[in-house]
Amino acid sequence: MSFPRPRVLTQCAAVAYVGSVAVLGLVDVLAEGSPGGSAAPYVVAFPGSAVAAVLLQLASSLLGSGEPPAGEGAALGFPVLAVAGALVNVSMLWAAVSFARLCVRECRAARRARRA
């Protein structure tokens, strides 16, 4: 039995995480009927959803009136914010793992250089 490479597994896990947050957000909006119903998608994508909300608020205050748009189309904006938070989480985790791999690689190279 052959297993996929670790990179493929991590990419599939990242896609599954972002997809599950998207589905959870859509189900939340469709079931509750109101965009501010429950906070389940935001809890699942917590640090990233907070970062995405702050960045969205900063961008809207720089480019416009600083108030989010109101109306029927705003209901789908809330799951989009949760999905953006999930993408931020995946990006932060990727950066942390890449930094850890770089540190390990540099430590090994330094040990080899000291021995020689």
Side-chain angles (χ1 to χ4, degrees), residues 8-99:
V8 174
L9 288 176
T10 56
Q11 289 173 350
C12 289
V15 168
Y17 170 65
V18 173
S20 65
V21 170
V23 168
L24 184 63
L26 285 175
V27 166
D28 186 45
V29 167
L30 294 176
E32 295 293 325
S34 66
S38 92
Y42 304 109
V43 171
V44 173
F46 167 62
S49 61
V51 169
V54 167
L55 291 176
L56 181 66
Q57 186 65 30
L58 285 174
S60 69
S61 67
L62 287 176
L63 298 176
S65 65
E67 298 176 7
E72 295 178 14
L76 290 180
F78 293 103
V80 170
L81 186 61
V83 170
L87 289 173
V88 169
N89 285 343
V90 168
S91 298
M92 287 190 303
L93 185 62
W94 173 77
V97 169
S98 295
F99 183 73

